[in-house]
Amino acid sequence: MDNCCDELGTCFKNAEDATSQENRMNDSQFVKKLSDVFDFFLDIQKPIADDTCLQRLLDILKEKFSDTECKRGSQFIKKACEKIDNLESSIVTFALQLAGQEAQKEGLIVSRHLYETISNKGLWKDISIGTSYFDSLSQVAGTSNGWTWLTEEKDYVEQAVQSLQEDTSLFLHSSARKLITMLLKAQNQLKMDAEERKPGCQVAICHLLSEDIHRELRQAADSPDRPLTLYLENLLSILVSSEGLLQEIYDEEVVHNMLRICLGRRSGSSSLCGEALMKCLCLCQQRGNDRLDDFMKRFLDHSIDGLKQGNVCKYHKLAVKIHQSFKELAVCGELQEKVLLPYSIMLGEPPLPVDSSLLQACRQAMMNKAKCIQLLLHTTDCLPLKDGDLQMMLQLLELTHLRVDVPVADHLSNDIRQNVVDNKRLQLSLLDKIHCNIGSSVPVAIITKALDVIMEIASGTFTDNTLQQNGFDCVLSLLRLLATAPNGSEHLTSYFPLVVRQLDRHLVSTQWENRDTAVEAVIKLASLHNIPAAGALLSSSHILGSAWQCVSDSDSYVRASAIRLIATVVMAPQLCDAFLSQLKQTEADIVHKLTEIIKTDSEAFPRRAAVSSLQAIHSSRGIPEPVVREIFSSMVQAMADFDWEVKANTLDFWQCVCDQKIKSLPSDVPDYVVNLLPSGTKRKLDNGSTLTHDLFVLSQTGFCEAIMSGTEDYDNHVQEKSYKILKNLKGKINDDVDENKLKKLKVENGDETNGSHPVNSEPELSTARLTTVLQLLRDTDIELKLSVLSGSADEYSKNPLALLEDILSEDKDIEDDKFVDCY
């Protein structure tokens, strides 16, 4: 057996050496082959069948080589300049991208000549070449010397602006915008001397764009029926990204025209203009609140003209944004009245002191369903969740549910009321706002009102599943608040049975989505066990047992959710005892069911959940030893599962077992595993045991079989996780482990095994497997193995020389329509 172990260890070592030798690249061969590839590029007459190999080569050159090591890149760029008229366009774009990389690492000496050649010959007007041209120049703009050169040579900026004016390609526009934005931002990033930023640099760029921005904004504001020009959209996109340009062009005319565009357009989107306007207002505030107050007065006056044109939604949306951004302004009170107007119309609040024409325009707009929902959503987003606002939202949420006993204000027309009934978008927005913002300061009366309304909506038979799920989440949050609120326990006692009754009904729904949502809600309900009032109600309720019955559901998602319930229940001993009592079962029965699921369930989701739940049971309950043996045996078998996530979850379990037996906790254990560990394993124990003893105890659990299976798995993630566990184990084991003592250790000594019974009855078998693992630890370069497993799976990344050979082979095979597949 010792010879077999030695041979196995030697086999592993030889395999590692072979892998290391195979992945080691000969730099001189790569450089020589790279010259042949560049020569091939310069002579090619037709496009490469798969030009993705060009980008792949650029990535490899950037990651693995610098031009200081091989001057081939600079030489290729020089030759490309000489043959530019005869080069295939994809090779020109490759040369430009390579020039950008070279400029960042080696400077502009070589790359500059290529840019000048492209510029002088006008090749940048070609869409593909122009896109790479501006992208490459953007890389240059990120360097100090490159920024100075580009701002002095105005031709490049003018070419970018010209490209933005022409209706050519969105890709070309994006690259041109990127160059201009980089040039405008670079002065702050590079921390250059103030004298270097005099007119002729950034100011010249701003001056070049300023006149065009003023003209385009004026024309767009004067022509509300025409869509925004593509050039103006490009200019606005640059404007919102550049504070320097914004400061240069800012004046009252610009702000006024932006406001006219936002409010006066009858069609098309003006979101970019709205974003630019908000940035202008922030700049206006920096220069003094007086100017911002003046704008606000104009904005409020502008509503009369704007609303006559039917742009209520646009005006309201902008009003909401301004109100959210500048709440400290004196005129914000008047603005808030306009913002809350849709709620006031819906809920019949006392008439606000707003202009009658605005009130009439808003009411007329809300007759249209799309506009009505849009206005209400705008208002909901900006409401701070105070008690009064929460009551308004609850009243609106109640109006969305068609019930005969909901009073409707006399002034509210039936058409407007019907617009909000069963509107999922509005209901989800209101539920999300309540769920995310409601706090412990809310009075009990409002909490109970919210429970009444939300339970009525979420428990409907035909309620949308997403709405039902969000509704139950909100209900459970409210129950938690009720359980901890002063005098809230009495209300909790009355509402808890109502929630259980609704969950019971959904657990037997004909739709699997409803059943799954109900089980998930039960899991969240069980998490309230640490609150005394809720814990007592849970222990006396049958809902946990009802949810567990879904473990036999026909849908795999529902089964998985039911299995996850176990991991939550076992965290609370009192709740778990009540749960087992309801089922009239023991821990052994639950474990047997979970192990059966791992072996027989045809879907991966339940098997993953079963593994996690077994881990929770093993770590959190004082279970009998026969049950422990069954868990260990099941976890060894789980390493043969076809699903890699099942095996990954199983390895988390074995890492936890290793930590318990060796009595040390590694630093990279997942948080959820740490939380499942009993407190005794989180500190180092000194019970007089030896390292040899602990290792032997570990071998009895099936750890060795599981880890050896993981290291030989076909999935890289499983292998990587297995080797990480071995790495942690290796850090705990000294090199002077006495293997002779290990072989002599006998399982008959009950004290030696610390009360743990082995999975394998033969101690010699466990000892041999442990010896194999120890030799694997000694003979394997685990760090190298992990670097290989965590690295790219791309063969070209491991062996760049192969990419060059495949590119050159295309020249020979081009008649056979063969191409390089870089993916």
Side-chain angles (χ1 to χ4, degrees), residues 181-230:
T181 303
M182 283 290 297
L183 290 172
L184 292 171
K185 282 184 175 181
Q187 73 160 5
N188 297 325
Q189 297 172 348
L190 298 175
K191 300 180 180 178
M192 304 169 72
D193 184 34
E195 292 299 321
E196 296 183 56
R197 300 195 296 266
K198 293 296 184 181
C201 295
Q202 189 196 18
V203 174
I205 303 174
C206 293
H207 180 72
L208 181 66
L209 297 176
S210 178
E211 184 178 348
D212 288 355
I213 291 175
H214 279 83
R215 184 188 66 252
E216 291 288 329
L217 285 174
R218 191 183 311 114
Q219 292 177 355
D222 292 338
S223 306
D225 293 326
R226 296 174 57 186
L228 297 183
T229 64
L230 196 57

Side-chain angles (χ1 to χ4, degrees), residues 640-651:
D641 199 281
F642 290 112
D643 181 72
W644 72 268
E645 289 191 56
V646 171
K647 290 178 283 191
N649 290 352
T650 305
L651 286 171

Side-chain angles (χ1 to χ4, degrees), residues 758-820:
V759 173
N760 304 297
S761 58
E762 294 294 334
E764 292 79 5
L765 182 58
S766 296
T767 303
R769 287 171 175 167
L770 180 56
T771 304
T772 301
V773 171
L774 293 176
Q775 290 189 343
L776 176 62
L777 291 176
R778 183 163 47 239
D779 297 338
T780 303
D781 187 344
I782 296 181
E783 292 290 350
L784 176 60
K785 187 70 177 178
L786 285 173
S787 67
V788 172
L789 291 171
S790 61
S792 173
D794 180 19
E795 185 63 31
Y796 288 146
S797 179
K798 299 176 183 177
N799 183 16
L801 189 61
L803 174 62
L804 303 183
E805 292 173 346
D806 287 346
I807 292 174
L808 291 174
S809 68
E810 181 185 349
D811 186 31
K812 303 174 183 177
D813 301 333
I814 199 166
E815 296 180 357
D816 300 329
D817 291 332
K818 294 183 179 180
F819 61 90
V820 183

Side-chain angles (χ1 to χ4, degrees), residues 32 53 109 153 164 190 204 212 231 273 296 341 559 566:
K32 182 179 182 303
C53 65
I109 298 176
E153 298 288 339
L164 293 177
L190 298 175
D212 288 355
Y231 183 41
C273 192
M296 292 301 300
L341 193 54
R559 296 199 300 275
I566 297 298

Side-chain angles (χ1 to χ4, degrees), residues 266-282:
R266 295 186 177 90
S267 63
S269 173
S270 56
S271 57
L272 267 177
C273 192
E275 187 177 353
L277 176 60
M278 294 304 298
K279 286 187 173 290
C280 283
L281 295 182
C282 292

